[in-house]
Amino acid sequence: MDNMFSLKGKIALVTGASYGIGFAIAQAYYEAGASIVFNDINQDLVDKGLAAYGEAGVDVRGYVCDVTDEDAVNAMVGAIERDVGVIDILVNNAGIIRRVPMTEMSAAEFRKVVDVDLNAPFIVAKAVLPSMIKKGAGKIINLCSMMSELGRETVSAYAAAKGGLKMLTRNIASEYGQYNIQCNGIGPGYIATPQTAPLRERQADGSRHPFDQFLIGKTPMARWGTTDDLKGPAVFLASAASDFVNGHVLYVDGGILAYIGKQP
């Protein structure tokens, strides 16, 4: 059973993994035995990521790369193959969100979100697939979202991109499963990170933030998720344990998608 979940000897690329969810996934892969490479959009973020991994005792290589730039991605994948080896596991983690009402969002802003959250996973997957096909094995994991299934105010571009990413996941699985390549998604629920900390702060009267109250009421487990909650699912989808799981999105949301919410 330990061997089934082992990533020993595997090389994993986690995009945008200087911090947050990507960092946690990369750390879990390292603990499972994989060699880790990551990228971010500029040298400052890569340096901060390298420092954080060093503090956590994780040996990694970092690359500067804009994942929306196909030439840059191809160059990065080529460099990784020369420096480390063929990528066995790709996690398309890099992403952005713009919380703007649709009628106030410009087409350029919409395109930017789609470019990072949907076009970039296509570009990076396209870059790693030839070597995976040649090797006859590979794992591609896309960071989808509950917004792959649900809509919500102010996130039209994000929801559109993540819905598209769910379908890209299924299509990669359909097209390349014959080469023993599995492509699946992880759909995180609301995760407690520094970015969401203001939504979890207690109010002056000691009550929960209104969004915190709303979220707890919508989550059967009555709590926010943590980055640690994503480690096990990410290792599962990267390991031999999931070799016949393909085109699936694993929602790690505490049960939100299964629940209508508390009665008022």
Side-chain angles (χ1 to χ4, degrees):
M1 185 60 68
D2 288 344
N3 289 337
M4 186 177 291
F5 290 91
S6 172
L7 301 182
K8 187 175 181 179
K10 303 296 185 181
I11 297 168
L13 166 61
V14 186
T15 67
S18 296
Y19 59 92
I21 289 173
F23 183 95
I25 290 173
Q27 185 178 28
Y29 286 173
Y30 179 78
E31 292 168 356
S35 298
I36 308 301
V37 293
F38 77 100
N39 82 290
D40 223 312
I41 196 167
N42 59 51
Q43 190 65 54
D44 183 53
L45 284 171
V46 170
D47 288 344
K48 287 180 179 177
L50 289 170
Y53 283 114
E55 289 178 8
V58 178
D59 184 21
V60 299
R61 284 178 180 258
Y63 295 80
V64 176
C65 180
D66 178 351
V67 288
T68 68
D69 182 333
E70 187 169 12
D71 290 339
V73 168
N74 288 336
M76 176 184 69
V77 170
I80 292 168
E81 291 187 352
R82 290 191 300 273
D83 296 343
V84 188
V86 171
I87 295 163
D88 299 289
I89 303 159
L90 165 64
V91 180
N92 279 312
N93 166 75
I96 60 172
I97 189 169
R98 295 284 185 270
R99 299 185 184 279
V100 183
M102 184 173 167
T103 56
E104 298 173 20
M105 175 175 269
S106 69
E109 288 176 306
F110 188 94
R111 290 190 190 102
K112 178 63 176 177
V113 174
V114 172
D115 202 22
V116 177
D117 293 356
L118 178 56
N119 292 342
F122 164 80
I123 289 169
V124 185
K126 180 184 173 186
V128 304
L129 275 165
S131 291
M132 287 183 174
I133 291 169
K134 186 176 180 180
K135 194 171 186 176
K139 302 277 186 175
I140 297 174
I141 300 162
N142 294 322
L143 261 292
C144 297
S145 165
M146 291 188 302
M147 298 301 110
S148 297
E149 302 289 344
L150 300 172
R152 189 169 182 271
E153 297 86 348
T154 75
V155 294
S156 58
Y158 184 80
K162 292 299 186 178
L165 185 58
K166 174 183 71 175
M167 294 311 300
L168 178 63
T169 299
R170 291 176 176 176
N171 203 80
I172 293 172
S174 301
E175 196 164 352
Y176 297 102
Q178 62 183 310
Y179 301 103
N180 191 33
I181 295 168
Q182 294 84 52
C183 182
N184 294 289
I186 294 177
Y190 284 92
I191 305 298
T193 65
Q195 288 83 357
T196 60
L199 298 177
R200 288 177 279 109
E201 289 179 354
R202 290 284 177 171
Q203 305 301 286
D205 62 1
S207 64
R208 291 181 180 273
H209 186 285
F211 185 83
D212 192 17
Q213 294 181 42
F214 163 75
L215 180 63
I216 296 304
K218 282 289 295 178
T219 308
M221 294 192 67
R223 68 171 177 86
W224 288 68
T226 69
T227 54
D228 282 350
D229 289 322
L230 298 167
K231 289 182 175 181
V235 169
F236 165 66
L237 291 177
S239 70
S242 63
D243 279 353
F244 203 58
V245 179
N246 210 7
H248 177 72
V249 180
L250 175 54
Y251 291 101
V252 187
D253 64 355
I256 291 177
L257 289 174
Y259 187 43
I260 196 171
K262 291 183 182 295
Q263 182 177 335

